[in-house]
Amino acid sequence: MKLSALTRFHPVIARTLVNWPSMDGELLVVNGPRLSERFSLGKGEVRIGRAPHSTIRLEGPGIAWEHCVVSLSGNRYRVSDRRSGTGTYVNGMRATEHWLEPGDQVAVGNTVFVYREESGASGVVSPHQNLLRACSLLFLFRAIGSSETEDLRGVLASQLMRLLGDLMPSTGGTVLLGHDATELQLAAATPALAATATRVCRDGPVIDAENREVAVPLYVRGALAGMLTAQFPAAEVANLTEHCDTLAAAATLGAIALETVREVETLNAEKALLLERLDASEPAIVGASPALRKLMQMVSRVAGHDTSVLILGESGTGKEMVANALHRRSPRAAHPFVAINCAALTETLLESELFGHEKGAFTGAVAQKKGKLELAEGGTVFLDEIGELAAPLQAKLLRVLQQREFERVGGTRTLKLNVRIIAATNRDLLAEVRRGAFREDLYHRLNVVAFQVPALRERREDIPPLAAHFLQRATARCRRRVEAIAPEALGRLMAYSWPGNVRELENAIERAVVLGNSEVLLPEDLPETVLDAPAPTAEPPGALQGTVTDVKRQLIIRAWQECGGDYKQAAAKLNIHPNSLLRLVRTLGLREVLK
């Protein structure tokens, strides 16, 4: 890409390239509020801190009045910490004093500087240096610009390796991500690479002339985040030190991009939660049976209060819909409604999902993550299948309910919480308490108000409106025209006991829409479990539906006999699918007749 084209893409890139003069020593800000600013070190002292007279004035948590000083001693620069409370970090290690080398990263609070040196006082910048800067900045721009892809870290690694290939005559290289030697060793593909990772974590940059390899650490906000390596041909052994400097510069830009990737991942998680909220407009609770009306009256009475609610009912009865209705009718309606299925995750994953975790809390925790309790601040958390919660998590949840506070996994800071907890279960929690599987104190905390959601078989009068509602949704989703449910099919739906409740009914209707062949949902379109249930009372003699059924029976018997019992030929003769014919035979009770 030409420089003129590159500068059109991003004003920061243009400004940095144009205003990049040569100097003996400088600090380049690569992270923090003053990102991309550069400070010449000169011959005097450079003071960093909150004080108004500071050479580099920084604000924010952890910044001392006079935090640290960079001074020239002889022909080298030294950074000295001024006994600041949070410390000054160089390459991830807390330092009282440190002689700076090119590529060193100095972290002061959230601000990270990179120390650079420029040889020569003429101010002339070589073409190679310009290429390095342009490629480095282009790499950063590309990495950030690729943030729409799913595998952000994979994009980062591939872009970084592409950059290294452009800058150096390397024959290969690797990008490993991890926050300590153990994680880097696990990510390494070979024992030799794992050994290099150990050396880098212990000693910093490694130049291995025997194996013609260079390796440097990658730091994010002063903490180890990975490692870069590059291999070279034999002719480049004499230049390994120079290549190490180039690799360290690339690691600095890679660190910025990695931090951006982490922020994008966090934003994507929050975006998914917001979309979930937008999608969670209160679903219709269909039905007018006495049992359902009584339940919804209870919802209206309790919704305005902040008390905990325990929703009981069989699987598939719509407990989450009731919880959503409670939230939508409460003063918390403008805040998130976050649902968590306690049975869908392992104990470790569920704890991280609920409470979040700090960076380094466990293997793979390369960044801080907010839990769903924290993301639901001000709103409602719905804990489905609460009876599946492991004992250690029961104790932690009890503290949340009692104290309204928690800590992230691996954290020590106590966070205050303002959420409403609604739990649901299909178990007999009181029986679980009696046998010691569920904490009694947690049960009483959750069971301040209990709702019993009735099973579908206890409100059969709601089946017709529910079936019509699901038919409308299924036809729109499947893009198929089905205008009504045949009375005989509706009779089958009414006769079935629905052990899976409303969820099973919805699935049955959608299946019928997918498999049916007409614009009316027929009995033969329904699942076998529904058809095998006792048939409803027959229609009165002379009814239209009875006449249609009789005609169907006669046509099937005639075709079956004419085809000698070959159901595939009979189906072809009737112009229907063989499976549809078999369903009709079963639905119309023709098995014995056609033997």
Side-chain angles (χ1 to χ4, degrees):
M1 178 179 289
K2 293 182 180 180
L3 181 60
S4 59
L6 173 63
T7 55
R8 285 200 305 269
F9 282 134
H10 204 291
V12 174
I13 295 177
R15 184 172 65 250
T16 306
L17 288 176
V18 172
N19 299 320
W20 201 321
S22 174
M23 57 186 69
D24 292 335
E26 68 171 356
L27 292 177
L28 171 65
V29 182
V30 296
N31 183 77
R34 306 189 69 167
L35 179 65
S36 83
E37 292 190 46
R38 303 168 61 253
F39 300 94
S40 173
L41 296 179
K43 306 301 182 184
E45 290 187 333
V46 174
R47 299 179 179 275
I48 303 174
R50 288 190 295 110
H53 60 268
S54 299
T55 314
I56 303 175
R57 188 178 180 187
L58 300 177
E59 298 288 348
I63 306 296
W65 186 256
E66 186 174 281
H67 201 102
C68 61
V69 173
V70 180
S71 57
L72 182 65
S73 180
N75 61 351
R76 299 182 64 190
Y77 288 98
R78 176 179 61 191
V79 59
S80 304
D81 184 72
R82 290 300 200 208
R83 298 181 181 177
S84 59
T86 55
T88 301
Y89 290 80
V90 180
N91 298 331
M93 302 294 292
R94 186 164 184 167
T96 303
E97 285 194 344
H98 180 84
W99 292 97
L100 292 173
E101 298 288 343
D104 280 350
Q105 294 189 31
V106 180
V108 179
N110 289 331
T111 299
V112 180
F113 303 91
V114 172
Y115 173 68
R116 298 181 66 256
E117 289 182 356
E118 287 281 3
S119 58
S122 65
V124 177
V125 183
S126 71
H128 173 74
Q129 290 170 326
N130 262 334
L131 176 63
L132 171 61
R133 294 165 186 168
C135 289
S136 298
L137 290 165
L138 177 58
F139 158 71
L140 174 60
F141 180 71
R142 283 173 175 169
I144 295 174
S146 301
S147 61
E148 291 297 326
T149 63
E150 293 182 1
D151 184 11
L152 299 180
R153 294 167 192 264
V155 170
L156 173 62
S158 63
Q159 290 285 2
L160 189 51
M161 294 313 303
R162 180 179 175 182
L163 168 65
L164 296 180
D166 290 340
L167 295 180
M168 302 180 296
S170 58
T171 58
T174 57
V175 179
L176 299 183
L177 300 180
H179 73 281
D180 57 25
T182 302
E183 286 195 7
L184 292 179
Q185 289 168 352
L186 291 173
T190 64
L193 190 57
T196 300
T198 302
R199 290 181 62 190
V200 167
C201 290
R202 184 185 64 226
D203 305 326
V206 171
I207 300 176
D208 187 344
E210 180 180 354
N211 295 310
R212 306 191 301 276
E213 182 181 56
V214 174
V216 298
L218 189 153
Y219 294 98
V220 172
R221 296 189 176 182
L224 182 70
M227 176 183 78
L228 306 184
T229 70
Q231 293 81 40
F232 298 90
E236 293 294 323
V237 170
N239 301 320
L240 289 184
T241 300
E242 179 183 347
H243 294 326
C244 185
D245 291 342
T246 303
L247 194 64
T252 299
L253 273 298
I256 301 171
L258 178 58
E259 183 176 359
T260 302
V261 165
R262 291 178 177 177
E263 291 174 354
V264 168
E265 289 173 340
T266 301
L267 289 173
N268 282 341
E270 293 177 354
K271 174 185 173 184
L273 183 59
L274 288 173
L275 290 176
E276 182 180 328
R277 284 181 58 193
L278 291 173
D279 234 8
S281 54
E282 185 172 353
I285 298 180
V286 178
S289 63
L292 187 61
R293 285 203 307 269
K294 181 179 179 181
L295 173 64
M296 297 314 296
Q297 287 170 1
M298 285 286 292
V299 167
S300 297
R301 289 174 60 187
V302 174
H305 304 281
D306 231 11
T307 186
S308 298
V309 176
L310 180 61
I311 303 175
L312 307 172
E314 297 178 6
S315 179
T317 51
K319 296 186 290 294
E320 183 171 347
M321 293 179 68
V322 174
N324 202 307
L326 274 167
H327 171 72
R328 293 292 174 180
R329 301 180 188 191
S330 75
R332 297 178 178 269
H335 297 282
F337 174 82
V338 178
I340 303 171
N341 189 335
C342 299
L345 299 170
T346 64
E347 178 182 340
T348 303
L349 289 177
L350 183 58
E351 183 176 16
S352 175
E353 191 77 4
L354 275 174
F355 302 106
H357 62 251
E358 297 290 351
K359 181 175 68 175
F362 50 83
T363 301
V366 296
Q368 183 194 81
K369 175 188 173 184
K370 292 182 178 181
K372 288 199 170 182
L373 285 176
E374 197 170 348
L375 292 174
E377 179 67 16
T380 302
V381 174
F382 173 59
L383 300 175
D384 200 6
E385 305 298 346
I386 191 70
E388 306 289 340
L389 205 62
L393 287 180
Q394 291 180 27
K396 289 192 174 185
L397 180 60
L398 179 63
R399 182 190 172 192
V400 169
L401 289 169
Q402 290 177 330
Q403 308 295 332
R404 298 293 168 175
E405 60 186 29
F406 71 101
E407 290 93 29
R408 298 191 189 105
V409 177
T412 56
R413 186 163 63 98
T414 299
L415 303 173
K416 294 295 182 181
L417 187 65
N418 174 26
V419 298
R420 182 184 194 175
I421 301 292
I422 299 176
T425 182
N426 58 11
R427 293 187 175 190
D428 184 346
L429 272 194
L430 190 55
E432 297 291 302
V433 168
R434 288 169 182 158
R435 70 181 188 90
F438 199 84
R439 293 181 63 112
E440 184 175 5
D441 45 6
L442 177 58
Y443 170 75
H444 290 302
R445 278 283 177 181
L446 294 171
N447 193 32
V448 178
V449 176
F451 290 168
Q452 182 71 46
V453 183
L456 187 55
R457 62 183 173 275
E458 297 171 0
R459 52 184 186 108
R460 291 185 184 273
E461 56 266 61
D462 289 335
I463 292 177
L466 277 169
H469 173 70
F470 293 141
L471 179 66
Q472 184 180 13
R473 288 176 53 177
T475 53
R477 186 162 50 242
C478 301
R479 297 181 180 178
R480 184 170 175 271
R481 184 177 178 181
V482 182
E483 295 183 345
I485 302 175
E488 189 178 5
L490 189 58
R492 291 284 183 172
L493 295 176
M494 293 286 288
Y496 184 54
S497 61
W498 299 109
N501 293 292
V502 180
R503 185 185 297 123
E504 186 183 5
L505 173 61
E506 181 177 14
N507 293 340
I509 297 297
E510 183 169 349
R511 176 188 183 278
V513 169
V514 171
L515 296 179
N517 294 314
S518 71
E519 294 184 359
V520 176
L521 194 151
L522 301 172
E524 55 264 32
D525 301 328
L526 298 173
E528 293 183 4
T529 51
V530 177
L531 297 177
D532 287 341
T537 305
E539 297 87 1
L544 176 62
Q545 185 61 38
T547 303
V548 173
T549 301
D550 289 341
V551 172
K552 285 183 182 179
R553 290 168 59 91
Q554 293 170 11
L555 289 173
I556 291 172
I557 293 171
R558 185 184 307 159
W560 196 280
Q561 292 172 345
E562 290 176 355
C563 295
D566 188 326
Y567 76 94
K568 291 184 179 179
Q569 290 184 21
K573 191 176 185 68
L574 294 168
N575 197 28
I576 62 175
H577 193 278
N579 290 343
S580 297
L581 175 58
L582 292 178
R583 284 200 299 272
L584 278 169
V585 169
R586 181 176 58 252
T587 303
L588 300 175
L590 294 175
R591 288 176 176 174
E592 295 297 325
V593 177
L594 299 177
K595 278 186 177 180

PDB file of all heavy atoms in Angstrom, residues 297-310:
ATOM      1  N   GLN A 297     -52.453 -13.041  37.646  1.00  0.00           N
ATOM      2  CA  GLN A 297     -52.845 -12.096  38.690  1.00  0.00           C
ATOM      3  C   GLN A 297     -51.764 -12.024  39.776  1.00  0.00           C
ATOM      4  O   GLN A 297     -51.439 -10.940  40.280  1.00  0.00           O
ATOM      5  CB  GLN A 297     -54.184 -12.517  39.297  1.00  0.00           C
ATOM      6  CG  GLN A 297     -55.383 -12.269  38.382  1.00  0.00           C
ATOM      7  CD  GLN A 297     -56.660 -12.914  38.900  1.00  0.00           C
ATOM      8  OE1 GLN A 297     -56.667 -13.547  39.974  1.00  0.00           O
ATOM      9  NE2 GLN A 297     -57.746 -12.777  38.146  1.00  0.00           N
ATOM     10  N   MET A 298     -51.191 -13.179  40.108  1.00  0.00           N
ATOM     11  CA  MET A 298     -50.092 -13.214  41.084  1.00  0.00           C
ATOM     12  C   MET A 298     -48.873 -12.454  40.551  1.00  0.00           C
ATOM     13  O   MET A 298     -48.202 -11.722  41.285  1.00  0.00           O
ATOM     14  CB  MET A 298     -49.716 -14.658  41.385  1.00  0.00           C
ATOM     15  CG  MET A 298     -50.695 -15.384  42.276  1.00  0.00           C
ATOM     16  SD  MET A 298     -50.549 -14.835  44.007  1.00  0.00           S
ATOM     17  CE  MET A 298     -48.934 -15.481  44.422  1.00  0.00           C
ATOM     18  N   VAL A 299     -48.588 -12.629  39.263  1.00  0.00           N
ATOM     19  CA  VAL A 299     -47.458 -11.923  38.646  1.00  0.00           C
ATOM     20  C   VAL A 299     -47.649 -10.416  38.782  1.00  0.00           C
ATOM     21  O   VAL A 299     -46.721  -9.674  39.150  1.00  0.00           O
ATOM     22  CB  VAL A 299     -47.308 -12.325  37.162  1.00  0.00           C
ATOM     23  CG1 VAL A 299     -46.353 -11.378  36.434  1.00  0.00           C
ATOM     24  CG2 VAL A 299     -46.805 -13.756  37.041  1.00  0.00           C
ATOM     25  N   SER A 300     -48.840  -9.930  38.491  1.00  0.00           N
ATOM     26  CA  SER A 300     -49.114  -8.493  38.566  1.00  0.00           C
ATOM     27  C   SER A 300     -48.970  -7.969  39.990  1.00  0.00           C
ATOM     28  O   SER A 300     -48.483  -6.849  40.203  1.00  0.00           O
ATOM     29  CB  SER A 300     -50.532  -8.205  38.051  1.00  0.00           C
ATOM     30  OG  SER A 300     -50.643  -8.559  36.689  1.00  0.00           O
ATOM     31  N   ARG A 301     -49.365  -8.771  40.970  1.00  0.00           N
ATOM     32  CA  ARG A 301     -49.295  -8.337  42.364  1.00  0.00           C
ATOM     33  C   ARG A 301     -47.853  -8.284  42.862  1.00  0.00           C
ATOM     34  O   ARG A 301     -47.487  -7.418  43.654  1.00  0.00           O
ATOM     35  CB  ARG A 301     -50.110  -9.271  43.246  1.00  0.00           C
ATOM     36  CG  ARG A 301     -51.614  -9.135  43.044  1.00  0.00           C
ATOM     37  CD  ARG A 301     -52.362 -10.189  43.850  1.00  0.00           C
ATOM     38  NE  ARG A 301     -52.110 -10.081  45.274  1.00  0.00           N
ATOM     39  CZ  ARG A 301     -52.542 -10.964  46.187  1.00  0.00           C
ATOM     40  NH1 ARG A 301     -53.259 -12.011  45.791  1.00  0.00           N
ATOM     41  NH2 ARG A 301     -52.283 -10.789  47.446  1.00  0.00           N
ATOM     42  N   VAL A 302     -46.992  -9.197  42.395  1.00  0.00           N
ATOM     43  CA  VAL A 302     -45.630  -9.322  42.938  1.00  0.00           C
ATOM     44  C   VAL A 302     -44.619  -8.511  42.130  1.00  0.00           C
ATOM     45  O   VAL A 302     -43.576  -8.121  42.653  1.00  0.00           O
ATOM     46  CB  VAL A 302     -45.215 -10.815  42.966  1.00  0.00           C
ATOM     47  CG1 VAL A 302     -43.769 -10.990  43.391  1.00  0.00           C
ATOM     48  CG2 VAL A 302     -46.141 -11.589  43.893  1.00  0.00           C
ATOM     49  N   ALA A 303     -44.919  -8.224  40.853  1.00  0.00           N
ATOM     50  CA  ALA A 303     -43.925  -7.618  39.959  1.00  0.00           C
ATOM     51  C   ALA A 303     -43.359  -6.314  40.498  1.00  0.00           C
ATOM     52  O   ALA A 303     -42.162  -6.044  40.354  1.00  0.00           O
ATOM     53  CB  ALA A 303     -44.542  -7.392  38.574  1.00  0.00           C
ATOM     54  N   GLY A 304     -44.158  -5.492  41.125  1.00  0.00           N
ATOM     55  CA  GLY A 304     -43.699  -4.186  41.579  1.00  0.00           C
ATOM     56  C   GLY A 304     -42.818  -4.228  42.800  1.00  0.00           C
ATOM     57  O   GLY A 304     -42.225  -3.203  43.178  1.00  0.00           O
ATOM     58  N   HIS A 305     -42.696  -5.375  43.442  1.00  0.00           N
ATOM     59  CA  HIS A 305     -41.864  -5.507  44.641  1.00  0.00           C
ATOM     60  C   HIS A 305     -40.531  -6.154  44.278  1.00  0.00           C
ATOM     61  O   HIS A 305     -40.417  -6.873  43.292  1.00  0.00           O
ATOM     62  CB  HIS A 305     -42.585  -6.327  45.703  1.00  0.00           C
ATOM     63  CG  HIS A 305     -43.933  -5.772  46.069  1.00  0.00           C
ATOM     64  ND1 HIS A 305     -44.090  -4.704  46.925  1.00  0.00           N
ATOM     65  CD2 HIS A 305     -45.185  -6.118  45.660  1.00  0.00           C
ATOM     66  CE1 HIS A 305     -45.382  -4.419  47.044  1.00  0.00           C
ATOM     67  NE2 HIS A 305     -46.075  -5.264  46.289  1.00  0.00           N
ATOM     68  N   ASP A 306     -39.510  -5.907  45.086  1.00  0.00           N
ATOM     69  CA  ASP A 306     -38.163  -6.403  44.765  1.00  0.00           C
ATOM     70  C   ASP A 306     -37.858  -7.741  45.416  1.00  0.00           C
ATOM     71  O   ASP A 306     -36.701  -8.133  45.511  1.00  0.00           O
ATOM     72  CB  ASP A 306     -37.122  -5.367  45.214  1.00  0.00           C
ATOM     73  CG  ASP A 306     -36.155  -5.038  44.091  1.00  0.00           C
ATOM     74  OD1 ASP A 306     -36.428  -5.442  42.952  1.00  0.00           O
ATOM     75  OD2 ASP A 306     -35.133  -4.386  44.364  1.00  0.00           O
ATOM     76  N   THR A 307     -38.843  -8.429  45.850  1.00  0.00           N
ATOM     77  CA  THR A 307     -38.637  -9.688  46.553  1.00  0.00           C
ATOM     78  C   THR A 307     -38.186 -10.795  45.605  1.00  0.00           C
ATOM     79  O   THR A 307     -38.473 -10.769  44.400  1.00  0.00           O
ATOM     80  CB  THR A 307     -39.939 -10.115  47.260  1.00  0.00           C
ATOM     81  OG1 THR A 307     -39.700 -11.267  48.042  1.00  0.00           O
ATOM     82  CG2 THR A 307     -41.035 -10.428  46.237  1.00  0.00           C
ATOM     83  N   SER A 308     -37.484 -11.779  46.148  1.00  0.00           N
ATOM     84  CA  SER A 308     -37.070 -12.942  45.355  1.00  0.00           C
ATOM     85  C   SER A 308     -38.279 -13.826  45.079  1.00  0.00           C
ATOM     86  O   SER A 308     -39.196 -13.931  45.903  1.00  0.00           O
ATOM     87  CB  SER A 308     -36.008 -13.754  46.103  1.00  0.00           C
ATOM     88  OG  SER A 308     -34.853 -12.973  46.323  1.00  0.00           O
ATOM     89  N   VAL A 309     -38.274 -14.470  43.921  1.00  0.00           N
ATOM     90  CA  VAL A 309     -39.398 -15.305  43.505  1.00  0.00           C
ATOM     91  C   VAL A 309     -38.859 -16.663  43.066  1.00  0.00           C
ATOM     92  O   VAL A 309     -37.847 -16.746  42.363  1.00  0.00           O
ATOM     93  CB  VAL A 309     -40.183 -14.657  42.340  1.00  0.00           C
ATOM     94  CG1 VAL A 309     -41.284 -15.585  41.852  1.00  0.00           C
ATOM     95  CG2 VAL A 309     -40.764 -13.323  42.777  1.00  0.00           C
ATOM     96  N   LEU A 310     -39.538 -17.721  43.472  1.00  0.00           N
ATOM     97  CA  LEU A 310     -39.210 -19.078  43.045  1.00  0.00           C
ATOM     98  C   LEU A 310     -40.369 -19.592  42.183  1.00  0.00           C
ATOM     99  O   LEU A 310     -41.511 -19.644  42.647  1.00  0.00           O
ATOM    100  CB  LEU A 310     -39.010 -19.992  44.257  1.00  0.00           C
ATOM    101  CG  LEU A 310     -38.660 -21.450  43.956  1.00  0.00           C
ATOM    102  CD1 LEU A 310     -37.343 -21.555  43.199  1.00  0.00           C
ATOM    103  CD2 LEU A 310     -38.599 -22.268  45.248  1.00  0.00           C
TER     104      LEU A 310
END
